Amino acid sequence: DQQVKQNSPSLSVQEGRISILNCDYTNSMFDYFLWYKKYPAEGPTFLISISSIKDKNEDGRFTVFLNKSAKHLSLHIVPSQPGDSAVYFCAARPVPSGSRLTFGEGTQLTVNP
Amino acid sequence: ETGVTQTPRHLVMGMTNKKSLKCEQHLGHNAMYWYKQSAKKPLELMFVYNFKEQTENNSVPSRFSPECPNSSHLFLHLHTLQPEDSALYLCASSLTMGAGPNTEAFFGQGTRLTVV
């Protein structure tokens, strides 16, 4: 039962344009969401997070949007840069939370110069 | 560099071998985790330690045995593994457990394990 799904295994965008990575979840107990970025041969790196009490969180070029009613979140990167090329994982944590992070399958983003 | 170091980076072992994966963090974090990433699958949580005490075992087979001697070190002891256990094993740590700030996990680079 895949509770966090990233339906696009890959995304290709032009440098300078917007990248939009999507994530859907099914567990209504999830209330904290995170995005991680992973380069080859490295572990995932935390990028940005959002609590369910918000619908938007912004950090520089990265913005995460949360639509609780649709159980959908998205990561916007603008402008996209070639160095952003990586696998992006969406993750979610339930309440009561403990520590259990449930990850999506990841989306490979390629930003072309 | 996330501050979480895993050794070895690559490991090839036979099904009858015993080996150990090591994870070290000097970030002052109190929670440490083992994750497994198989090909084309999401990261799967295996074990959680909080203040050296195991708080979660995600139905992991007993051929994987974790050890947390202190808050800075985490081991994963492996014995009689199967070829399907071949995967990337990632260690992570966080300042605290739960949700919200200071609970984001910092990951090591992983150990690429191949069981032959």
Tab-separated table of all heavy atoms in Angstrom, chain A residues 2 4 31-32 34 36 38 41-46 49 89 93-95 97-105, chain B residues 2 9 33 35 37 41-43 45 48 55-56 58 88 90 97-101 103-105 107-110:
chain	number	residue	atom	x	y	z
A	2	GLN	N	0.974	1.915	-1.116
A	2	GLN	CA	1.847	3.059	-1.280
A	2	GLN	C	1.106	4.301	-0.803
A	2	GLN	O	0.213	4.805	-1.484
A	2	GLN	CB	2.255	3.188	-2.757
A	2	GLN	CG	3.332	4.174	-3.048
A	2	GLN	CD	4.654	3.799	-2.424
A	2	GLN	OE1	4.906	2.650	-2.112
A	2	GLN	NE2	5.491	4.785	-2.233
A	4	VAL	N	2.409	7.288	-0.099
A	4	VAL	CA	2.942	8.514	-0.691
A	4	VAL	C	3.367	8.180	-2.114
A	4	VAL	O	4.183	7.276	-2.309
A	4	VAL	CB	4.147	9.051	0.112
A	4	VAL	CG1	4.727	10.295	-0.562
A	4	VAL	CG2	3.734	9.364	1.544
A	31	ASP	N	0.699	14.857	8.748
A	31	ASP	CA	0.525	16.288	8.987
A	31	ASP	C	1.816	17.082	8.836
A	31	ASP	O	1.850	18.277	9.120
A	31	ASP	CB	-0.106	16.540	10.361
A	31	ASP	CG	0.935	16.562	11.460
A	31	ASP	OD1	1.933	15.847	11.334
A	31	ASP	OD2	0.753	17.316	12.435
A	32	TYR	N	2.886	16.419	8.412
A	32	TYR	CA	4.144	17.127	8.196
A	32	TYR	C	4.793	16.517	6.976
A	32	TYR	O	4.883	15.295	6.864
A	32	TYR	CB	5.039	16.991	9.432
A	32	TYR	CG	6.208	17.937	9.461
A	32	TYR	CD1	6.018	19.299	9.645
A	32	TYR	CD2	7.513	17.478	9.324
A	32	TYR	CE1	7.083	20.176	9.681
A	32	TYR	CE2	8.584	18.348	9.361
A	32	TYR	CZ	8.373	19.689	9.545
A	32	TYR	OH	9.428	20.561	9.578
A	34	LEU	N	7.886	16.700	3.838
A	34	LEU	CA	9.255	17.116	3.562
A	34	LEU	C	9.620	16.758	2.130
A	34	LEU	O	9.087	15.805	1.549
A	34	LEU	CB	10.242	16.408	4.503
A	34	LEU	CG	9.983	16.507	6.010
A	34	LEU	CD1	9.114	15.353	6.506
A	34	LEU	CD2	11.299	16.503	6.772
A	36	TYR	N	13.143	15.935	-0.107
A	36	TYR	CA	14.570	15.648	-0.075
A	36	TYR	C	15.072	15.597	-1.502
A	36	TYR	O	14.365	15.209	-2.421
A	36	TYR	CB	14.844	14.296	0.606
A	36	TYR	CG	14.760	14.312	2.103
A	36	TYR	CD1	13.539	14.189	2.746
A	36	TYR	CD2	15.905	14.446	2.876
A	36	TYR	CE1	13.459	14.211	4.121
A	36	TYR	CE2	15.839	14.458	4.263
A	36	TYR	CZ	14.611	14.340	4.877
A	36	TYR	OH	14.543	14.356	6.241
A	38	LYS	N	18.340	14.099	-3.899
A	38	LYS	CA	19.400	13.095	-3.851
A	38	LYS	C	20.198	13.117	-5.149
A	38	LYS	O	19.641	12.910	-6.226
A	38	LYS	CB	18.812	11.702	-3.614
A	38	LYS	CG	19.877	10.610	-3.451
A	38	LYS	CD	19.243	9.258	-3.235
A	38	LYS	CE	20.302	8.191	-2.959
A	38	LYS	NZ	21.267	8.042	-4.064
A	41	ALA	N	25.193	8.653	-5.825
A	41	ALA	CA	26.271	8.289	-4.899
A	41	ALA	C	26.264	9.148	-3.625
A	41	ALA	O	27.278	9.201	-2.918
A	41	ALA	CB	27.635	8.372	-5.573
A	42	GLU	N	25.172	9.833	-3.355
A	42	GLU	CA	25.051	10.571	-2.106
A	42	GLU	C	23.742	10.201	-1.416
A	42	GLU	O	22.816	9.706	-2.055
A	42	GLU	CB	25.081	12.082	-2.338
A	42	GLU	CG	26.414	12.582	-2.861
A	42	GLU	CD	26.433	14.107	-2.975
A	42	GLU	OE1	25.549	14.764	-2.406
A	42	GLU	OE2	27.342	14.617	-3.660
A	43	GLY	N	23.659	10.458	-0.113
A	43	GLY	CA	22.396	10.257	0.571
A	43	GLY	C	21.445	11.407	0.306
A	43	GLY	O	21.856	12.481	-0.163
A	44	PRO	N	20.158	11.227	0.587
A	44	PRO	CA	19.194	12.317	0.413
A	44	PRO	C	19.548	13.497	1.310
A	44	PRO	O	20.029	13.333	2.425
A	44	PRO	CB	17.870	11.684	0.847
A	44	PRO	CG	18.079	10.215	0.747
A	44	PRO	CD	19.521	9.991	1.054
A	45	THR	N	19.282	14.691	0.813
A	45	THR	CA	19.536	15.925	1.553
A	45	THR	C	18.218	16.643	1.759
A	45	THR	O	17.473	16.856	0.799
A	45	THR	CB	20.495	16.835	0.767
A	45	THR	OG1	21.702	16.119	0.508
A	45	THR	CG2	20.825	18.094	1.557
A	46	PHE	N	17.949	17.032	2.989
A	46	PHE	CA	16.708	17.750	3.284
A	46	PHE	C	16.669	19.073	2.530
A	46	PHE	O	17.651	19.824	2.483
A	46	PHE	CB	16.598	17.992	4.794
A	46	PHE	CG	15.495	18.936	5.166
A	46	PHE	CD1	14.171	18.548	5.055
A	46	PHE	CD2	15.785	20.224	5.607
A	46	PHE	CE1	13.157	19.425	5.377
A	46	PHE	CE2	14.778	21.099	5.943
A	46	PHE	CZ	13.460	20.704	5.831
A	49	SER	N	10.341	21.819	4.083
A	49	SER	CA	9.237	21.100	4.700
A	49	SER	C	8.026	22.010	4.848
A	49	SER	O	8.118	23.235	4.683
A	49	SER	CB	9.652	20.561	6.068
A	49	SER	OG	9.978	21.636	6.949
A	89	PHE	N	12.638	13.397	-3.559
A	89	PHE	CA	11.742	12.529	-2.813
A	89	PHE	C	10.807	13.370	-1.967
A	89	PHE	O	11.224	14.294	-1.261
A	89	PHE	CB	12.524	11.601	-1.875
A	89	PHE	CG	13.360	10.576	-2.571
A	89	PHE	CD1	14.717	10.786	-2.777
A	89	PHE	CD2	12.804	9.390	-3.009
A	89	PHE	CE1	15.501	9.836	-3.410
A	89	PHE	CE2	13.587	8.426	-3.637
A	89	PHE	CZ	14.931	8.664	-3.842
A	93	ARG	N	4.934	12.520	7.365
A	93	ARG	CA	4.990	12.007	8.729
A	93	ARG	C	3.617	12.145	9.369
A	93	ARG	O	2.978	13.189	9.241
A	93	ARG	CB	6.037	12.775	9.506
A	93	ARG	CG	6.215	12.360	10.941
A	93	ARG	CD	7.358	13.143	11.547
A	93	ARG	NE	8.648	12.548	11.243
A	93	ARG	CZ	9.766	13.235	11.079
A	93	ARG	NH1	9.746	14.543	11.157
A	93	ARG	NH2	10.893	12.626	10.833
A	94	PRO	N	3.156	11.106	10.075
A	94	PRO	CA	1.803	11.174	10.649
A	94	PRO	C	1.779	11.737	12.056
A	94	PRO	O	2.805	11.886	12.701
A	94	PRO	CB	1.389	9.702	10.669
A	94	PRO	CG	2.682	8.980	10.923
A	94	PRO	CD	3.753	9.782	10.221
A	95	VAL	N	0.588	12.028	12.521
A	95	VAL	CA	0.341	12.350	13.925
A	95	VAL	C	-0.531	11.246	14.507
A	95	VAL	O	-1.550	10.921	13.920
A	95	VAL	CB	-0.404	13.693	14.076
A	95	VAL	CG1	-0.786	13.937	15.533
A	95	VAL	CG2	0.440	14.812	13.550
A	97	SER	N	3.313	11.145	15.731
A	97	SER	CA	4.318	10.979	14.698
A	97	SER	C	5.405	9.975	15.022
A	97	SER	O	5.827	9.249	14.125
A	97	SER	CB	4.931	12.317	14.371
A	97	SER	OG	5.447	12.875	15.554
A	98	GLY	N	5.877	9.950	16.240
A	98	GLY	CA	7.080	9.153	16.404
A	98	GLY	C	8.097	9.667	15.427
A	98	GLY	O	8.359	10.855	15.357
A	99	SER	N	8.603	8.812	14.609
A	99	SER	CA	9.627	9.250	13.676
A	99	SER	C	9.373	8.727	12.274
A	99	SER	O	10.144	8.995	11.381
A	99	SER	CB	10.981	8.738	14.141
A	99	SER	OG	10.913	7.326	14.222
A	100	ARG	N	8.305	8.007	12.081
A	100	ARG	CA	8.135	7.266	10.846
A	100	ARG	C	7.906	8.206	9.661
A	100	ARG	O	6.851	8.828	9.536
A	100	ARG	CB	6.964	6.318	10.975
A	100	ARG	CG	6.716	5.456	9.761
A	100	ARG	CD	5.637	4.424	10.089
A	100	ARG	NE	6.136	3.482	11.057
A	100	ARG	CZ	6.879	2.419	10.755
A	100	ARG	NH1	7.181	2.188	9.501
A	100	ARG	NH2	7.297	1.609	11.691
A	101	LEU	N	8.888	8.303	8.792
A	101	LEU	CA	8.761	9.031	7.538
A	101	LEU	C	8.401	8.041	6.443
A	101	LEU	O	9.068	7.019	6.305
A	101	LEU	CB	10.078	9.699	7.157
A	101	LEU	CG	10.386	11.111	7.639
A	101	LEU	CD1	11.760	11.528	7.160
A	101	LEU	CD2	9.342	12.091	7.147
A	102	THR	N	7.370	8.336	5.694
A	102	THR	CA	7.019	7.515	4.539
A	102	THR	C	7.417	8.266	3.284
A	102	THR	O	7.014	9.419	3.092
A	102	THR	CB	5.506	7.227	4.516
A	102	THR	OG1	5.148	6.547	5.724
A	102	THR	CG2	5.146	6.351	3.331
A	103	PHE	N	8.206	7.629	2.450
A	103	PHE	CA	8.757	8.272	1.263
A	103	PHE	C	8.000	7.866	0.004
A	103	PHE	O	7.479	6.752	-0.094
A	103	PHE	CB	10.224	7.883	1.080
A	103	PHE	CG	11.174	8.597	1.999
A	103	PHE	CD1	11.389	8.154	3.287
A	103	PHE	CD2	11.857	9.728	1.568
A	103	PHE	CE1	12.265	8.814	4.138
A	103	PHE	CE2	12.736	10.396	2.400
A	103	PHE	CZ	12.944	9.942	3.692
A	104	GLY	N	7.995	8.768	-0.949
A	104	GLY	CA	7.559	8.436	-2.299
A	104	GLY	C	8.698	7.795	-3.057
A	104	GLY	O	9.818	7.650	-2.555
A	105	GLU	N	8.399	7.415	-4.307
A	105	GLU	CA	9.391	6.687	-5.106
A	105	GLU	C	10.461	7.585	-5.692
A	105	GLU	O	11.497	7.114	-6.152
A	105	GLU	CB	8.702	5.948	-6.266
A	105	GLU	CG	7.531	5.066	-5.851
A	105	GLU	CD	6.218	5.809	-6.002
A	105	GLU	OE1	6.154	7.037	-5.685
A	105	GLU	OE2	5.231	5.183	-6.426
B	2	THR	N	26.866	16.047	5.028
B	2	THR	CA	25.741	16.269	5.935
B	2	THR	C	26.132	16.097	7.379
B	2	THR	O	25.335	16.364	8.263
B	2	THR	CB	24.610	15.279	5.623
B	2	THR	OG1	25.088	13.942	5.848
B	2	THR	CG2	24.152	15.419	4.177
B	9	ARG	N	31.461	2.306	1.931
B	9	ARG	CA	30.569	2.853	0.910
B	9	ARG	C	30.018	1.747	0.023
B	9	ARG	O	28.893	1.838	-0.472
B	9	ARG	CB	31.316	3.872	0.044
B	9	ARG	CG	31.748	5.126	0.798
B	9	ARG	CD	30.549	5.996	1.153
B	9	ARG	NE	29.717	6.311	0.007
B	9	ARG	CZ	29.970	7.275	-0.851
B	9	ARG	NH1	31.036	8.035	-0.706
B	9	ARG	NH2	29.149	7.503	-1.858
B	33	TYR	N	18.679	6.416	12.547
B	33	TYR	CA	17.783	5.571	11.772
B	33	TYR	C	18.578	4.737	10.753
B	33	TYR	O	19.598	5.196	10.233
B	33	TYR	CB	16.791	6.434	10.970
B	33	TYR	CG	16.150	7.570	11.723
B	33	TYR	CD1	16.820	8.778	11.890
B	33	TYR	CD2	14.861	7.448	12.244
B	33	TYR	CE1	16.229	9.835	12.578
B	33	TYR	CE2	14.268	8.503	12.919
B	33	TYR	CZ	14.958	9.691	13.082
B	33	TYR	OH	14.370	10.734	13.754
B	35	TYR	N	17.674	3.066	7.022
B	35	TYR	CA	16.731	2.941	5.926
B	35	TYR	C	17.320	2.008	4.873
B	35	TYR	O	18.534	1.893	4.717
B	35	TYR	CB	16.492	4.295	5.240
B	35	TYR	CG	15.565	5.230	5.967
B	35	TYR	CD1	16.040	6.088	6.956
B	35	TYR	CD2	14.209	5.282	5.643
B	35	TYR	CE1	15.186	6.957	7.611
B	35	TYR	CE2	13.349	6.158	6.290
B	35	TYR	CZ	13.854	6.992	7.276
B	35	TYR	OH	13.008	7.858	7.916
B	37	GLN	N	17.013	1.221	0.672
B	37	GLN	CA	16.450	1.612	-0.615
B	37	GLN	C	16.792	0.557	-1.653
B	37	GLN	O	17.953	0.420	-2.056
B	37	GLN	CB	16.958	2.981	-1.080
B	37	GLN	CG	16.246	3.429	-2.352
B	37	GLN	CD	16.673	4.773	-2.845
B	37	GLN	OE1	17.776	5.237	-2.577
B	37	GLN	NE2	15.790	5.434	-3.580
B	41	LYS	N	12.280	1.405	-5.679
B	41	LYS	CA	11.339	1.392	-4.556
B	41	LYS	C	11.600	2.593	-3.661
B	41	LYS	O	12.706	3.123	-3.637
B	41	LYS	CB	11.506	0.114	-3.736
B	41	LYS	CG	10.978	-1.141	-4.379
B	41	LYS	CD	11.053	-2.278	-3.378
B	41	LYS	CE	10.464	-3.544	-3.927
B	41	LYS	NZ	10.535	-4.659	-2.934
B	42	PRO	N	10.593	3.012	-2.908
B	42	PRO	CA	10.824	4.111	-1.962
B	42	PRO	C	11.753	3.682	-0.829
B	42	PRO	O	11.919	2.480	-0.579
B	42	PRO	CB	9.425	4.391	-1.398
B	42	PRO	CG	8.477	3.685	-2.276
B	42	PRO	CD	9.206	2.550	-2.888
B	43	LEU	N	12.307	4.668	-0.155
B	43	LEU	CA	13.088	4.365	1.042
B	43	LEU	C	12.180	3.716	2.080
B	43	LEU	O	11.056	4.170	2.316
B	43	LEU	CB	13.670	5.645	1.654
B	43	LEU	CG	14.968	6.181	1.079
B	43	LEU	CD1	14.719	6.865	-0.243
B	43	LEU	CD2	15.619	7.135	2.049
B	45	LEU	N	11.917	2.546	6.059
B	45	LEU	CA	12.486	2.634	7.394
B	45	LEU	C	12.666	1.235	7.959
B	45	LEU	O	11.758	0.408	7.885
B	45	LEU	CB	11.555	3.442	8.303
B	45	LEU	CG	11.993	3.629	9.742
B	45	LEU	CD1	13.246	4.488	9.821
B	45	LEU	CD2	10.866	4.255	10.557
B	48	VAL	N	14.735	2.477	14.292
B	48	VAL	CA	14.883	3.800	14.867
B	48	VAL	C	15.449	3.663	16.271
B	48	VAL	O	14.996	2.808	17.045
B	48	VAL	CB	13.541	4.551	14.954
B	48	VAL	CG1	13.748	5.942	15.549
B	48	VAL	CG2	12.886	4.640	13.599
B	55	THR	N	13.411	2.244	19.294
B	55	THR	CA	12.001	2.588	19.435
B	55	THR	C	11.148	2.022	18.308
B	55	THR	O	9.927	1.973	18.430
B	55	THR	CB	11.813	4.110	19.476
B	55	THR	OG1	12.357	4.676	18.275
B	55	THR	CG2	12.509	4.715	20.670
B	56	GLU	N	11.783	1.637	17.208
B	56	GLU	CA	11.016	1.054	16.116
B	56	GLU	C	11.818	-0.043	15.424
B	56	GLU	O	13.019	0.099	15.217
B	56	GLU	CB	10.622	2.105	15.076
B	56	GLU	CG	9.547	3.053	15.535
B	56	GLU	CD	8.907	3.799	14.391
B	56	GLU	OE1	8.554	3.164	13.374
B	56	GLU	OE2	8.744	5.028	14.510
B	58	ASN	N	10.795	-2.076	12.036
B	58	ASN	CA	9.747	-2.146	11.029
B	58	ASN	C	9.670	-3.541	10.425
B	58	ASN	O	9.824	-3.712	9.216
B	58	ASN	CB	9.998	-1.087	9.951
B	58	ASN	CG	8.813	-0.887	9.049
B	58	ASN	OD1	7.683	-1.233	9.402
B	58	ASN	ND2	9.054	-0.350	7.876
B	88	LEU	N	20.741	-0.270	-1.266
B	88	LEU	CA	21.469	0.844	-0.659
B	88	LEU	C	20.945	1.002	0.764
B	88	LEU	O	19.747	1.160	0.977
B	88	LEU	CB	21.230	2.123	-1.459
B	88	LEU	CG	21.917	3.392	-0.935
B	88	LEU	CD1	23.434	3.278	-1.089
B	88	LEU	CD2	21.402	4.625	-1.666
B	90	LEU	N	20.912	3.213	4.049
B	90	LEU	CA	21.156	4.598	4.438
B	90	LEU	C	20.952	4.771	5.934
B	90	LEU	O	19.967	4.309	6.503
B	90	LEU	CB	20.196	5.537	3.701
B	90	LEU	CG	20.472	5.713	2.209
B	90	LEU	CD1	19.214	6.169	1.494
B	90	LEU	CD2	21.582	6.720	1.994
B	97	MET	N	13.033	13.430	17.658
B	97	MET	CA	12.036	12.688	16.898
B	97	MET	C	10.751	13.499	16.858
B	97	MET	O	10.617	14.529	17.494
B	97	MET	CB	11.775	11.333	17.560
B	97	MET	CG	12.910	10.367	17.383
B	97	MET	SD	12.695	8.848	18.317
B	97	MET	CE	11.035	8.394	17.893
B	98	GLY	N	9.797	13.011	16.085
B	98	GLY	CA	8.511	13.679	16.001
B	98	GLY	C	8.393	14.485	14.727
B	98	GLY	O	9.055	14.199	13.739
B	99	ALA	N	7.533	15.466	14.737
B	99	ALA	CA	7.327	16.301	13.557
B	99	ALA	C	7.717	17.721	13.881
B	99	ALA	O	7.880	18.080	15.032
B	99	ALA	CB	5.857	16.235	13.114
B	100	GLY	N	7.868	18.519	12.866
B	100	GLY	CA	8.194	19.909	13.072
B	100	GLY	C	9.684	20.181	12.956
B	100	GLY	O	10.466	19.302	12.602
B	101	PRO	N	10.074	21.408	13.263
B	101	PRO	CA	11.479	21.786	13.148
B	101	PRO	C	12.370	20.903	14.007
B	101	PRO	O	11.952	20.382	15.031
B	101	PRO	CB	11.494	23.228	13.652
B	101	PRO	CG	10.112	23.714	13.472
B	101	PRO	CD	9.219	22.524	13.674
B	103	THR	N	13.413	18.073	13.452
B	103	THR	CA	13.210	16.638	13.306
B	103	THR	C	13.579	16.157	11.921
B	103	THR	O	13.442	14.973	11.621
B	103	THR	CB	11.749	16.262	13.594
B	103	THR	OG1	10.909	16.874	12.619
B	103	THR	CG2	11.335	16.708	14.984
B	104	GLU	N	14.025	17.089	11.064
B	104	GLU	CA	14.424	16.654	9.728
B	104	GLU	C	15.612	15.717	9.834
B	104	GLU	O	16.530	15.924	10.622
B	104	GLU	CB	14.821	17.860	8.862
B	104	GLU	CG	13.685	18.805	8.561
B	104	GLU	CD	13.457	19.819	9.661
B	104	GLU	OE1	14.333	19.968	10.526
B	104	GLU	OE2	12.380	20.439	9.652
B	105	ALA	N	15.582	14.671	9.027
B	105	ALA	CA	16.646	13.682	9.061
B	105	ALA	C	17.782	14.091	8.132
B	105	ALA	O	17.552	14.552	7.021
B	105	ALA	CB	16.099	12.319	8.654
B	107	PHE	N	20.934	12.523	6.200
B	107	PHE	CA	21.326	11.205	5.725
B	107	PHE	C	22.820	11.110	5.452
B	107	PHE	O	23.457	12.081	5.025
B	107	PHE	CB	20.578	10.865	4.426
B	107	PHE	CG	19.148	10.472	4.631
B	107	PHE	CD1	18.160	11.436	4.732
B	107	PHE	CD2	18.783	9.137	4.723
B	107	PHE	CE1	16.828	11.082	4.928
B	107	PHE	CE2	17.466	8.768	4.906
B	107	PHE	CZ	16.482	9.737	5.016
B	108	GLY	N	23.345	9.913	5.664
B	108	GLY	CA	24.686	9.590	5.197
B	108	GLY	C	24.652	9.256	3.723
B	108	GLY	O	23.592	9.278	3.076
B	109	GLN	N	25.813	8.949	3.170
B	109	GLN	CA	25.918	8.667	1.737
B	109	GLN	C	25.472	7.259	1.390
B	109	GLN	O	25.273	6.952	0.224
B	109	GLN	CB	27.350	8.899	1.268
B	109	GLN	CG	27.765	10.356	1.352
B	109	GLN	CD	29.241	10.533	1.064
B	109	GLN	OE1	30.092	10.002	1.756
B	109	GLN	NE2	29.545	11.294	0.026
B	110	GLY	N	25.319	6.418	2.385
B	110	GLY	CA	24.820	5.083	2.133
B	110	GLY	C	25.918	4.056	1.909
B	110	GLY	O	27.057	4.399	1.563
